[in-house]
C-alpha cells in the first residue's frame, strides 16, 4: 500500500468552473499505483470542487446562473461584508458544493463517467491562485 501527495496550483480569472482533469490524469499516469482511491481537497473556503458534465457548456453556464440566484452578490443580505460583495456568497456556494472528492482508481485510470470532468468551482469575482491537494492511496 502506498500514499502519495501532490499539489496542483490553479490560477482562476474570476467566477467559473475550471477543468483540471487532464492535470490530474497526467500526474496519476506517473505514479506506480494501479488501483486505489484518489482524494482531492481544495485548500480554500471560497471555492469548491465538482464533478460535472464536459460535453455541453450550457450545463456550466446554467450552474453559474443557478448559484447567482441562490446566493446573490448583495451586501444588504449579509453581515459578513468586509472582504467585498463576493465573499459571503462565495462561502455559501462553497458550503453547498464540495471541498473534497473521492474518485476510485482502477487500472491506472480515474473511474469517471464518459461525460464527467473534475472542476474547481471559483466562487469569487476576481482572479485567485488556488491550491488543490491530491492524495492517492493504493497499490
Amino acid at each position: 500500500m502506498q500514499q502519495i501527495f501532490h499539489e496542483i496550483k490553479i490560477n482562476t480569472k474570476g467566477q467559473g468552473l475550471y477543468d483540471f482533469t487532464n492535470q490530474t490524469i497526467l500526474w496519476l499516469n506517473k505514479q506506480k499505483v494501479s488501483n486505489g482511491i484518489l482524494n482531492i481537497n481544495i485548500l480554500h473556503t471560497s471555492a469548491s470542487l465538482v464533478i460535472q458534465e464536459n460535453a455541453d457548456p450550457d450545463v456550466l453556464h446554467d450552474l453559474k446562473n443557478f448559484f447567482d440566484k441562490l446566493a446573490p452578490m448583495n451586501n444588504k443580505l449579509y453581515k459578513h461584508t468586509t472582504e467585498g460583495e463576493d465573499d459571503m456568497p462565495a462561502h455559501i456556494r462553497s458550503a453547498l458544493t464540495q471541498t473534497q472528492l473521492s474518485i476510485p482508481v482502477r487500472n491506472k485510470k480515474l473511474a469517471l463517467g464518459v461525460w464527467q470532468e473534475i472542476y474547481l468551482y471559483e466562487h469569487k469575482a476576481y482572479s485567485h491562485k488556488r491550491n488543490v491537494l491530491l492524495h492517492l492511496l493504493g497499490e
Side-chain angles (χ1 to χ4, degrees):
M1 190 66 70
Q2 293 184 42
Q3 288 193 70
I4 307 159
F5 291 90
H6 178 69
E7 197 165 303
I8 295 177
K9 297 189 183 305
I10 300 170
N11 295 320
T12 68
K13 296 176 182 161
Q15 281 188 340
L17 289 112
Y18 296 85
D19 183 351
F20 66 99
T21 310
N22 286 337
Q23 288 172 273
T24 305
I25 290 170
L26 288 172
W27 174 78
L28 183 61
N29 287 339
K30 295 176 186 175
Q31 308 313 309
K32 294 180 181 178
V33 172
S34 295
N35 296 294
I37 189 90
L38 178 64
N39 294 302
I40 306 172
N41 291 77
I42 188 159
L43 306 177
H44 304 277
T45 60
S46 55
S48 58
L49 302 169
V50 295
I51 293 176
Q52 199 46 256
E53 179 175 332
N54 66 357
D56 186 350
D58 288 346
V59 171
L60 304 182
H61 179 282
D62 290 345
L63 278 172
K64 183 185 178 314
N65 284 343
F66 173 79
F67 277 100
D68 286 347
K69 292 174 186 161
L70 189 64
M73 287 191 214
N74 180 347
N75 277 349
K76 293 177 183 174
L77 299 174
Y78 311 110
K79 187 173 181 178
H80 175 69
T81 60
T82 55
E83 296 177 50
E85 71 175 1
D86 65 344
D87 194 47
M88 193 59 220
H91 290 299
I92 293 168
R93 295 168 191 205
S94 182
L96 295 174
T97 51
Q98 300 172 70
T99 57
Q100 186 269 331
L101 300 171
S102 293
I103 303 171
V105 174
R106 184 174 49 195
N107 299 321
K108 291 193 74 67
K109 295 186 190 286
L110 293 174
L112 291 171
V114 72
W115 304 116
Q116 292 181 320
E117 298 285 331
I118 309 165
Y119 294 91
L120 180 148
Y121 196 173
E122 176 62 70
H123 301 299
K124 298 285 272 183
Y126 305 102
S127 61
H128 283 81
K129 293 180 181 182
R130 301 299 192 176
N131 300 311
V132 176
L133 183 65
L134 306 181
H135 173 209
L136 179 61
L137 180 63
E139 50 190 19

